[in-house]
Amino acid sequence: MNNQVKVNQIALILMLIVSGGKYMSLPQTLSQQVGRDAWLVTAILLAVDLVCLAMLVWAVKLNKSKLSFNQTLNHCVGKVVAKAILIVFAIFMAVRLATLYSGVYELFVATFGIRTNWIGFALPLAVLVCFGVSKGMQPLARTNQLLCVIVLISLVAILVLPARNANLSQLMPVGQSGAKKLLSVSLNNGFWFSDYVFLYFVLDAIKPSKRVFLPILGFFAIGATLTVFMYVLFTGLFGNMAQYTDLAMSKVSQFVVTSAVNGRIDWLFVTIWTLSVFIKILIFTFSLYKCLSYLFDAKCCKFSLPLGIAATSAILLPLLVTVNDLSQVVSSYLRYPFYAVQYLLPLTMPLMVSIANANTTTKEANRVKQK
């Protein structure tokens, strides 16, 4: 598996996947909880993500010895705690993947009116995902580079063309829900964010670069801005009815039709934009694969079919539970373990990487002296 990636490739991945998954059922969910202030919750959580991402990028820059995430954890917290952290990561990514699979399925049904059974949808996608993961991170990053421009153009078209129909007065008064309510809703919905977590699993594979912070944080900010704009547009178009309107991307894209002369050009834009969700699925499945490799002490340099199938098996979760049920389980039982790896761990990563690199350097120096 070729997992070497460049800083610019990481930046482009972040820009595209930030919106992937957040344009489907989440806008309705947030509108049900805070009404017109859904965009504020999104902005708050993305701002927190930016801080955590900055700390994680700092850790990447400090990782002079090119230690993997697993090696860093073992150096700093020991193997037992490291395994526990990896188990939480594995569950987190499996649940996130299940919500992405379910969202894509419902988006296709709502937009194109084509419904098939879950197995008919899941099996071809599982084969594609397993094949993509087997090639490693570098081919995935290159594929994202090739698709980035056309996906971004489609996304901008979906957002800009309906904008003239939006009534932004629907957002007033801003912050009506109150600071306490906004904070509470933000805490309850953090699970849908932290898309930067895949960086943990390419910690040792990012090629050195003079500029690290600016491209990664800059492109993430672009993706975050487009995401917040989508929530503003969604509220501006549907107002109080936003809480009853599911699959925001499908509904918003229908306003593109009124801006087109002939044909359903919105279908073309949505189809192309959905590629960003598939890229996100591939990236998260790769991260889950690496996580399982660390858990079972398997060699990450070679693809293991059993581990690949295990990582892809998250596609079966929607057969057992709905997205709403998964959300309830997360908010009731898994919220705090997830927040530990989403928000607490990134803040400590620069220190952990520094300690792990210092220990590695000391051990190498002692070996040289003994020789």
Side-chain angles (χ1 to χ4, degrees):
M1 296 174 68
N2 191 348
N3 297 327
Q4 293 293 314
V5 288
K6 299 177 181 178
V7 168
N8 289 339
Q9 291 175 324
I10 293 292
L12 290 175
I13 289 172
L14 278 167
M15 182 178 66
L16 282 196
I17 71 172
V18 165
S19 63
K22 297 185 185 67
Y23 284 180
M24 293 183 278
S25 60
L26 185 58
Q28 180 192 25
T29 300
L30 293 181
S31 295
Q32 289 172 344
Q33 296 177 38
V34 289
R36 69 192 73 200
D37 290 330
W39 71 275
L40 275 177
V41 173
T42 308
I44 291 169
L45 287 169
L46 287 172
V48 174
D49 278 1
L50 183 62
V51 174
C52 292
L53 175 61
M55 298 299 287
L56 196 50
V57 172
W58 186 14
V60 170
K61 196 169 182 65
L62 292 172
N63 191 21
K64 304 297 184 181
S65 299
K66 292 298 175 184
L67 297 178
S68 69
F69 180 49
N70 189 41
Q71 290 171 324
T72 301
L73 289 177
N74 288 336
H75 274 291
C76 295
V77 297
K79 290 186 176 181
V80 175
V81 177
K83 296 291 186 186
I85 291 173
L86 291 171
I87 288 171
V88 174
F89 264 117
I91 297 172
F92 172 78
M93 286 180 290
V95 177
R96 283 291 297 272
L97 281 167
T99 61
L100 287 170
Y101 286 130
S102 181
V104 170
Y105 176 75
E106 293 299 332
L107 181 66
F108 272 52
V109 171
T111 303
F112 306 114
I114 302 173
R115 181 178 292 274
T116 182
N117 61 54
W118 185 260
I119 298 300
F121 165 78
L123 282 181
L125 186 55
V127 172
L128 171 65
V129 170
C130 201
F131 174 77
V133 171
S134 70
K135 297 300 179 181
M137 186 66 179
Q138 189 179 82
L140 297 180
R142 286 178 175 174
T143 301
N144 181 77
Q145 275 185 296
L146 291 172
L147 298 174
C148 183
V149 173
I150 189 172
V151 171
L152 190 61
I153 290 173
S154 297
L155 174 57
V156 170
I158 292 172
L159 297 180
V160 171
L161 292 177
R164 65 181 184 180
N165 297 310
N167 180 9
L168 297 184
S169 64
Q170 301 275 11
L171 278 70
M172 305 300 290
V174 175
Q176 186 180 24
S177 303
K180 186 176 180 180
K181 179 69 173 178
L182 289 172
L183 179 61
S184 174
V185 173
S186 297
L187 287 172
N188 288 333
N189 291 279
F191 160 74
W192 299 89
F193 292 78
S194 303
D195 298 308
Y196 53 79
V197 292
F198 75 92
L199 283 175
Y200 289 111
F201 302 98
V202 292
L203 190 65
D204 56 333
I206 300 176
K207 295 180 180 180
S209 174
K210 292 182 179 179
R211 295 192 306 169
V212 178
F213 287 95
L214 182 60
I216 291 180
L217 298 184
F219 278 93
F220 175 85
I222 293 172
T225 301
L226 290 172
T227 302
V228 173
F229 181 70
M230 167 63 178
Y231 282 71
V232 170
L233 184 62
F234 182 64
T235 303
L237 289 172
F238 295 99
N240 294 330
M241 296 302 294
Q243 59 183 310
Y244 306 109
T245 308
D246 61 350
L247 294 171
M249 178 56 85
S250 178
K251 300 301 189 293
V252 168
S253 67
Q254 292 177 11
F255 285 87
V256 176
V257 179
T258 61
S259 301
V261 178
N262 289 304
R264 293 298 303 269
I265 195 172
D266 60 312
W267 285 4
L268 175 63
F269 290 149
V270 171
T271 302
I272 295 174
W273 170 81
T274 308
L275 292 173
S276 67
V277 185
F278 286 123
I279 289 169
K280 188 170 185 175
I281 288 172
L282 287 164
I283 297 296
F284 267 65
T285 307
F286 171 82
S287 300
L288 179 55
Y289 174 86
K290 287 289 293 287
C291 187
L292 294 175
S293 299
Y294 294 150
L295 271 172
F296 296 104
D297 297 319
K299 291 183 178 180
C300 296
C301 57
K302 293 183 178 180
F303 178 71
S304 168
L305 185 58
L307 285 178
I309 293 173
T312 310
S313 62
I315 202 169
L316 298 177
L317 271 176
L319 281 175
L320 307 175
V321 292
T322 65
V323 173
N324 289 335
D325 291 337
L326 281 174
S327 299
Q328 290 177 3
V329 169
V330 169
S331 61
S332 300
Y333 305 105
L334 299 174
R335 180 172 60 178
Y336 296 111
F338 283 177
Y339 285 179
V341 298
Q342 287 180 258
Y343 302 121
L344 180 60
L345 189 60
L347 300 179
T348 61
M349 278 301 291
L351 178 60
M352 292 175 66
V353 166
S354 297
I355 293 172
N357 277 258
N359 290 343
T360 302
T361 303
T362 302
K363 288 180 180 179
E364 288 178 354
N366 291 335
R367 287 175 185 173
V368 171
K369 288 180 180 180
Q370 291 174 359
K371 289 181 180 181

